[in-house]
């Protein structure tokens, strides 16, 4: 059984097929940044990711009257990004002799990402923001200084005029709460993201 798009997505796609530029802009605005970030799982160069994503949107617009999307729009777009990035990797590696070995490696990378259930960074950011706002002011401040600003426990302790042990306790409490609060949104790798929020922030900074 094929998955169906959400109601608002179906409306956007119907308008897109009729050449509605506003519908196209809505899809572009909603997904562009997340698609570039998703491409970063495959390509190290931000510009390469942007080129892939821009090509996808160009094709989406040019083929708008014949395009058929039977899965979730998010899944369709992320799958297109994944395939576009893998094609770019193959293109850049076409001078290598052992292409079969490269394809095996690419297949292993591809299998790690389920585009249907993949959590967009923007969605994750919203959930994290809600969760962080539920922390006590002291724990939230400590957690943000560590995970968002990258300060070490010793530096935070000096800034807040508390002991390093207090910082350790606060960080542990924050992680425990976030793990519990976000459990319904858990996906492979999410806990790693929680532990390394500064990595998420650095990704956002690259495309903002």
């Amino acid at each position: 059984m094929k998955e169906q798009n959400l109601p608002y997505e179906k409306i956007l796609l119907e308008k897109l097929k009729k050449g509605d530029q506003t519908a196209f802009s809505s899809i572009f605005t909603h997904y562009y940044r997340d698609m570039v970030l998703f491409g970063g799982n495959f390509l190290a160069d931000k510009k390469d990711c942007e080129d892939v994503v821009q090509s996808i949107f160009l094709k989406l617009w040019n083929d708008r009257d014949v395009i058929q999307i039977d899965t979730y729009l998010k899944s369709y777009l992320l799958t297109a990004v994944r395939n576009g990035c893998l094609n770019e990797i193959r293109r850049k590696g076409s001078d290598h002799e052992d292409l079969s070995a490269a394809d095996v490696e690419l297949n292993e990378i591809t299998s790690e990402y389920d585009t249907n259930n993949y959590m967009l960074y923007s969605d994750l950011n919203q959930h994290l923001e809600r969760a962080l706002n539920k922390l006590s002011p002291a724990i939230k401040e400590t957690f943000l200084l560590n995970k968002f600003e990258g300060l070490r426990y010793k530096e935070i302790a000096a800034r807040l005029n508390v002991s390093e042990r207090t910082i350790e306790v606060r960080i542990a409490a924050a992680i425990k709460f976030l793990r519990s609060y976000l459990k319904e949104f858990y996906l492979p790798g999410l806990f790693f993201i929680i532990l390394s929020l500064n990595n998420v922030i650095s990704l956002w900074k690259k495309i903002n």
Side-chain angles (χ1 to χ4, degrees), residues 112-182:
E112 295 179 8
Y113 298 97
D114 178 357
T115 55
N116 283 327
N117 296 314
Y118 186 85
M119 180 176 286
L120 299 176
Y121 280 96
S122 59
D123 292 335
L124 176 60
N125 184 63
Q126 290 177 6
H127 297 318
L128 285 174
E129 186 174 347
R130 294 191 192 105
L132 289 171
N133 286 334
K134 291 182 177 294
L135 295 172
S136 70
I139 292 178
K140 178 181 178 181
E141 180 182 23
T142 301
F143 189 78
L144 294 180
L145 288 172
N146 178 243
K147 299 303 179 183
F148 281 72
E149 296 188 24
L151 298 183
R152 293 173 297 181
Y153 287 8
K154 183 177 181 179
E155 295 171 320
I156 300 172
R159 177 180 292 194
L160 301 181
N161 196 28
V162 297
S163 69
E164 286 189 54
R165 176 56 183 164
T166 297
I167 300 302
E168 291 176 5
V169 171
R170 290 178 181 178
I171 295 295
I175 291 176
K176 181 179 180 180
F177 174 79
L178 290 173
R179 183 192 292 170
S180 175
Y181 186 87
L182 297 170

Side-chain angles (χ1 to χ4, degrees), residues 62-126:
N62 289 338
D63 297 344
R64 61 189 181 280
D65 54 341
V66 296
I67 198 168
Q68 185 68 33
I69 301 177
D70 296 315
T71 185
Y72 292 119
L73 178 58
K74 180 193 76 173
S75 179
Y76 173 87
L77 293 173
L78 293 183
T79 298
V81 172
R82 181 190 64 193
N83 294 340
C85 288
L86 296 184
N87 287 337
E88 179 66 12
I89 292 173
R90 291 190 179 97
R91 185 187 68 79
K92 289 188 173 182
S94 61
D95 293 334
H96 295 282
E97 295 181 0
D98 193 0
L99 289 179
S100 59
D103 281 337
V104 170
E105 183 178 351
L106 291 178
N107 288 333
E108 291 176 350
I109 294 174
T110 301
S111 65
E112 295 179 8
Y113 298 97
D114 178 357
T115 55
N116 283 327
N117 296 314
Y118 186 85
M119 180 176 286
L120 299 176
Y121 280 96
S122 59
D123 292 335
L124 176 60
N125 184 63
Q126 290 177 6

